[in-house]
Every structure is written in C-alpha cells, then in structure tokens.
Amino acid sequence: MRRRDFFKTSAALAAAAVLPGCKSSAQMSGSDDLRLEWRPYTGKLKYTFTIATYSRTETPLVLVRLSWRGYEGYGEASMPQYLGESTQSVTSFLARAAQEVLPRFKDPFLLDDILSEVDALSPRDTAAKAAIDIALHDLLGKILGRPWWQLWGYNPANTPCTSYTIGYDASDEIVKEKIEEASWTKVIKVKLGMGEQEDKRMINLIRERLDTVICIDANQGWKSKEMALDMIGWLAERNVCLIEQPMAKEDLDSAAWITERSPLPVIADEACQRLADIPRLKGAYDGINIKLMKCTGMREAHRMAEMARGLGMEVMLGCMTETSVAVSAAAQLSPVARWADLDGNILLANDCFEGMFLTDGKITLNDKPGIGVEPIKPFEEL
Ligand code: MG
C-alpha cells in the first residue's frame, strides 16, 4: 500500500471509530477546502524580559486556525524582534499562502508537498511558516485521533523537565522576585552576556537562595573566547549543566575552541536555525537548540532532532514567548530532547490555550490528538 493510501485508510478508520478527540461522521460535513484564518494577539509578559541584545514587556503573536471537513487545527507565530518578523509580515505571508498554496490541495495528508510549497513562498518568514505547519500537524493528528508524540513513535515517559527562565535585571530586588517565582522549577535558565561582573552578580544572587541546576544562555553576549572559557570554568563549579550560544553566531572557530576545552556542554542556538545548518556545527558545538519559530515548524524540527541524534549531537528544545499552542507543538518532540526550555506559556500573563502541562517541573504530554491543545474560549473571541 502506498504511503498516501495508508494515511487515507488510517484517517477513514480513525474517523469511523470516533476515537477520543475525533469528530463523528455527522460533523465531517465541512468543506474539502483547507481554510486558513488568523488573529493577531498581544502576549503580555509577566516580567520585563531583558537579554544581552534587547528588552521588552509584550510580544506580538498571531494565532491561526486551519479547517477541513469540520476538523480544526490550531497554530501560532511568535515574532521576537531579532528574527525580523512582525504582525504585518506574518499576516501578509498567511494571506499569500491562503491564496497561492492552500487552494491547490484538497488532501491535508499531502503535508510534505503543502509545507514545501509554503516554504518556497519566501526565503524567510519562518514564524509565519511555523504557524501553518503547526496548524496542519494539529489538524492531521485530530483526523487520525492521535497525538504527534505517538505518531512519531516517541515514549512520553522520556520527557525532560523544562527549565524556567530568569531574565537579566539591573535591580537586585527584581531579580530576587524572579528567583522567588522560579522556586518551583527543577531547572533554571539564566540569561547572561551582560559583562563578567553583572553575570556573576546574577548567579550569586540565585545561589544565595536556590541550589537548583542552572542552564546558561549567553545569547552571543561574551566578547572573547578566553573570557567565555573563564566564565564557563567559574560556572561549572556552581551546578550549571550547559552553556548556550557563548559567542557571536558567525564565529564558529571560537565556538569550536571553547567546546573543545569546556567542562560543560556547549549548545548552538542563534547559530542553528534550520536543518541545513546542522552538519557544519558538528565539532563546533556539542548540541543544538531547536525552536519551531526559527526552523519553520514541526516537520523541520523533527528532521533536525533526528539528524542531530544521528550525528551524535545533543538535542535541546527551546521556544519564544508564546502560548500553549506553540509550546505544546514543540513538546511533542520532547521525549528525544535531553534538555527543554519550554516555558514560553508560563512567562505569559494571558495564555489563551490549554495543552502540555508540567508535573513537578517535568513536561507531561496529554493523550489528546494533534498537538493536544484547546482554546479557553472560542477562537473568534480570543
Ligand atoms: Mg538561546
């Protein structure tokens, strides 16, 4: 049986059996057209978020819904400043995809063709592409009545704990508040790269209060490889488990120099955007941080995780500040990640979906189909 026929048969059987989360045949009366809708949404941050390169209190998001024969899949684009996307660029891209790509497909199971054509619309727009990709995966999972961790064959017991991010702040009082807020977590992520003195002040403030293991993200902020290695040595004595992006993403030679000498694993984030970046990072970093918004979504994220594993590199999963839609989509891959930084929804004061949750800090995947999310009120009212 050809793969496409297999999926069609599986879809029909799943729908006929009315598995949990599936719609009955009476509900399958919707159109054969793939219908894409979108809503801009302003994510409000619980705290002002400061990293080595900028600071903000809100984040622009675009929520999407993809419908087919009465089934609905949800997706999301999150647009941090450094990726160069905006509400306007995302909504224009979605309008183009809705007009130029989706009308030519009546079968949503042609996922590879659909997403390749969406990707080919422009060289960038990775968050806009991720919104469509996530919604299509959610839709297919719902038609099949299965979550994606299961369709990929991953063991949901193998999920890591998520880290919870403490952003930089110049005020000791605000940092202490953030530490208090993070006291539940099993892994803290700290954003450094503000200079040696400030970086050590942040770590000392945390270590005076908590002994929780720490992941460090320097966000390209360290200026020389020697200084970076000194800092890593200092951090290694303070229960730190990894170092993310110590120096500028272009500087592979320094990354390789640091990785060779570092007592802690060194992970590429800004240096690793998409699948094609991975082979040249082998040897320069110990692992990669995969984020749906920079790699165009679940299809490519899954390929990246499998390529990294095949090359003997570590897999970390990250996110932007985003709702439970994009976080739950990324969490489907978490059984193969050694570390996960999937706290985007927790950093939001106005998450508008329910999905992946944490049990004592550990990522807990639900059995709901697709990416396992439900809006807290109708999509039209979000
Ligand atoms: Mg990072």
Side-chain angles (χ1 to χ4, degrees):
M1 189 186 287
R2 286 163 58 216
R3 183 168 168 269
R4 188 187 305 175
D5 295 334
F6 166 77
F7 270 120
K8 279 183 174 166
T9 309
S10 304
L13 286 172
V18 196
L19 290 165
C22 267
K23 299 201 170 188
S24 67
S25 55
Q27 290 169 288
M28 287 190 56
S29 53
S31 163
D32 269 353
D33 296 329
L34 279 163
R35 179 163 174 252
L36 186 68
E37 301 159 272
W38 52 89
R39 297 182 68 79
Y41 190 78
T42 301
K44 312 271 187 207
L45 308 193
K46 285 180 187 162
Y47 294 104
T48 302
F49 197 73
T50 302
I51 63 169
T53 44
Y54 65 92
S55 181
R56 62 198 161 91
T57 56
E58 290 185 343
T59 198
L61 305 169
V62 176
L63 303 171
V64 313
R65 179 168 66 182
L66 184 64
S67 313
W68 181 80
R69 290 193 186 172
Y71 292 96
E72 291 173 346
Y74 295 105
E76 174 181 14
S78 172
M79 297 86 74
Q81 204 177 329
Y82 77 90
L83 285 180
E85 288 178 82
S86 63
T87 300
Q88 214 242 315
S89 72
V90 167
T91 53
S92 314
F93 184 90
L94 296 174
R96 256 190 91 193
Q99 201 170 15
E100 295 175 28
V101 177
L102 299 182
R104 291 189 290 105
F105 291 92
K106 300 293 180 199
D107 178 1
F109 282 93
L110 292 175
L111 172 135
D112 205 51
D113 286 359
I114 297 169
L115 296 180
S116 294
E117 293 203 17
V118 167
D119 195 13
L121 284 176
S122 80
R124 293 192 180 81
D125 298 297
T126 56
K129 291 170 184 175
I132 297 171
D133 168 289
I134 295 167
L136 182 56
H137 279 80
D138 192 32
L139 180 75
L140 297 186
K142 282 174 172 162
I143 296 168
L144 292 169
R146 299 287 180 196
W148 272 93
W149 57 260
Q150 194 174 53
L151 292 169
W152 282 330
Y154 294 152
N155 181 349
N158 292 346
T159 57
C161 287
T162 185
S163 55
Y164 177 77
T165 300
I166 296 184
Y168 168 81
D169 202 285
S171 149
D172 280 9
E173 290 315 307
I174 291 175
V175 175
K176 285 177 197 169
E177 255 180 56
K178 291 181 180 187
I179 294 168
E180 183 69 26
E181 171 98 353
S183 58
W184 58 271
T185 188
K186 292 282 188 290
V187 188
I188 291 173
K189 177 161 167 174
V190 186
K191 299 286 198 174
L192 297 184
M194 309 302 293
E196 188 177 338
Q197 200 181 339
E198 283 302 282
D199 287 355
K200 287 185 175 173
R201 180 183 68 89
M202 285 291 294
I203 298 301
N204 287 333
L205 279 169
I206 294 168
R207 280 291 167 256
E208 284 161 19
R209 286 157 186 82
L210 295 175
D211 56 8
T212 314
V213 65
I214 294 176
C215 301
I216 296 295
D217 189 354
N219 281 115
Q220 314 183 71
W222 290 337
K223 300 303 176 207
S224 81
K225 60 187 182 190
E226 292 82 7
M227 177 268 174
L229 190 64
D230 282 351
M231 271 302 291
I232 294 171
W234 185 84
L235 291 163
E237 293 167 1
R238 284 161 179 80
N239 198 19
V240 167
C241 66
L242 68 85
I243 307 291
E244 209 180 307
Q245 201 64 52
M247 294 183 60
K249 61 182 178 183
E250 301 81 11
D251 192 353
L252 265 192
D253 290 343
S254 292
W257 185 91
I258 294 167
T259 298
E260 199 185 335
R261 293 161 178 80
S262 172
L264 298 173
V266 181
I267 307 299
D269 181 4
E270 287 87 340
C272 182
Q273 191 183 346
R274 297 196 58 171
L275 186 70
D277 296 324
I278 301 176
R280 72 189 168 85
L281 300 176
K282 166 81 178 160
Y285 292 90
D286 295 302
I288 56 166
N289 187 348
I290 302 172
K291 294 177 181 169
L292 300 187
M293 294 303 142
K294 52 175 193 176
C295 78
T296 73
M298 294 169 72
R299 179 181 70 142
E300 187 142 330
H302 179 240
R303 290 175 175 174
M304 290 173 77
E306 293 302 339
M307 180 186 274
R309 295 171 85 201
L311 289 170
M313 296 176 79
E314 301 283 1
V315 172
M316 175 175 182
L317 273 180
C319 63
M320 308 301 174
T321 308
E322 52 202 25
T323 75
S324 286
V325 170
V327 167
S328 301
Q332 304 298 311
L333 268 177
S334 65
V336 295
R338 180 167 170 197
W339 304 286
D341 180 33
L342 296 180
D343 62 349
N345 54 340
I346 309 170
L347 296 169
L348 275 184
N350 62 339
D351 188 7
C352 51
F353 279 80
E354 282 174 359
M356 176 276 271
F357 57 98
L358 303 176
T359 308
D360 204 16
K362 183 177 159 72
I363 292 171
T364 309
L365 293 160
N366 64 38
D367 289 328
K368 291 175 188 166
I371 59 169
V373 296
E374 283 170 15
I376 58 173
K377 54 185 173 181
F379 184 76
E380 293 78 7
E381 296 167 24
L382 292 174

